[in-house]
């Protein structure tokens, strides 16, 4: 059994939605560097996207501007869809990030074209808005995207930081949107950065 066994509905627009739905199941096979909190394995893209979507429902009172939680949740669940083709790029991988934009744009062209035009454009628009990080909704979604793996590192002995030899400056740069948009949460982030250095998880 597999996608080759898909039975057409004889409605091309409906079929395109079903086939897109099948394609995004591949997110469950895209592994990230972040460990699950029980340290049993690395999380996958689908788990990460679900996790930050739920987090988006929890932390909005700390944002410096009002946000539309419904839109933010939608951004969270679509923001990594392109990684089905482009792969996950580790936040602190300088070489990998050099061509990330080009790889992801090519992936977006392929993936979102699977849907009926207006729907593909709508989801792509959310992905692009998230990446641009200019609107309040996008900044808040980006905060969740950065906060979740940071939180996991604080509870897994700094796993990805230790593995990659990450330093304070790199983490502070990555977390800058939280400092700007969720300063109260950043106080907690800063305390954890200090603790991570003391513990030897992060380089000074």
């Amino acid at each position: 059994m597999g996608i080759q066994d898909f039975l057409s509905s004889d409605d091309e627009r409906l079929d395109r939605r079903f086939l897109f739905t099948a394609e995004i199941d591949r997110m469950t096979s895209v592994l990230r560097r972040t460990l699950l909190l029980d340290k049993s394995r690395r999380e996958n893209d689908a788990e990460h996207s679900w996790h930050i979507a739920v987090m988006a429902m929890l932390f909005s009172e700390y944002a410096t501007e009002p946000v539309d939680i419904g839109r933010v949740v939608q951004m969270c669940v679509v923001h990594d869809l392109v990684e089905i083709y482009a792969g996950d790029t580790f936040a602190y991988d300088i070489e990998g990030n050099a061509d990330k934009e080009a790889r992801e744009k090519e992936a977006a062209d392929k993936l979102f074209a699977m849907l009926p035009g207006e729907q593909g454009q709508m989801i792509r628009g959310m992905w692009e808005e998230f990446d641009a990080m200019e609107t309040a909704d996008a900044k808040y979604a980006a905060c969740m995207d950065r906060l979740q793996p940071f939180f996991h590192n604080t509870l897994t002995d700094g796993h990805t930081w230790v593995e990659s030899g990450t330093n304070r400056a790199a983490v502070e740069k990555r977390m800058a949107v939280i400092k700007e948009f969720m300063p109260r949460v950043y106080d907690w982030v800063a305390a954890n950065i200090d603790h991570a250095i003391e513990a030897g998880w992060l380089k000074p």
Side-chain angles (χ1 to χ4, degrees):
M1 296 292 288
I3 195 62
Q4 67 274 10
D5 300 301
F6 172 68
L7 184 64
S8 173
S9 68
D10 293 324
D11 178 332
E12 190 250 350
R13 287 173 61 83
L14 180 56
D15 284 357
R16 290 175 72 174
R17 291 178 168 98
F18 276 127
L19 293 170
F20 179 83
T21 300
E23 190 71 353
I24 64 173
D25 180 72
R26 294 172 59 179
M27 280 190 82
T28 60
S29 299
V30 180
L31 293 180
R32 293 168 49 83
R33 296 282 284 272
T34 305
L35 286 184
L36 297 182
L37 293 183
D38 66 5
K39 301 182 184 179
S40 61
R41 62 173 174 83
R42 292 157 62 187
E43 71 176 357
N44 64 51
D45 263 0
E47 290 166 331
H48 166 70
S49 298
W50 157 80
H51 213 166
I52 68 169
V54 175
M55 288 174 65
M57 299 166 62
L58 308 179
F59 291 91
S60 62
E61 70 182 88
Y62 300 104
T64 57
E65 297 178 49
V67 295
D68 181 334
I69 296 299
R71 290 192 78 251
V72 172
V73 167
Q74 289 178 319
M75 277 187 210
C76 288
V77 296
V78 304
H79 82 289
D80 274 346
L81 287 177
V82 295
E83 293 185 0
I84 291 170
Y85 304 137
D88 176 64
T89 304
F90 181 50
Y92 304 112
D93 178 357
I94 296 172
E95 185 177 332
N97 276 281
D99 66 347
K100 177 185 176 185
E101 184 177 350
R103 285 186 288 108
E104 292 193 346
K105 182 183 182 301
E106 183 179 349
D109 291 343
K110 178 180 177 181
L111 182 65
F112 300 131
M114 293 183 68
L115 285 165
E118 72 285 357
Q119 199 162 47
Q121 290 166 14
M122 181 271 290
I123 294 180
R124 183 177 186 138
M126 288 206 154
W127 170 71
E128 290 175 343
E129 181 180 348
F130 174 91
D131 249 24
M133 254 186 354
E134 293 174 351
T135 65
D137 290 347
K139 288 178 182 178
Y140 181 60
C143 287
M144 299 301 101
D145 184 46
R146 286 153 175 72
L147 188 60
Q148 185 256 357
F150 181 93
F151 185 41
H152 277 233
N153 266 316
T154 69
L155 300 178
T156 57
D157 303 316
H159 174 77
T160 65
W161 297 329
V162 172
E163 187 179 60
S164 60
T166 303
N167 62 31
R168 175 194 283 270
V171 174
E172 288 178 340
K173 181 179 179 181
R174 178 75 178 162
M175 307 302 281
V177 66
I178 298 177
K179 187 175 185 178
E180 171 201 348
F181 201 72
M182 304 181 76
R184 175 65 188 90
V185 174
Y186 190 80
D187 291 343
W188 173 87
V189 167
N192 275 277
I193 291 174
D194 289 341
H195 175 69
I197 290 172
E198 291 168 8
W201 304 339
L202 272 179
K203 294 182 178 180

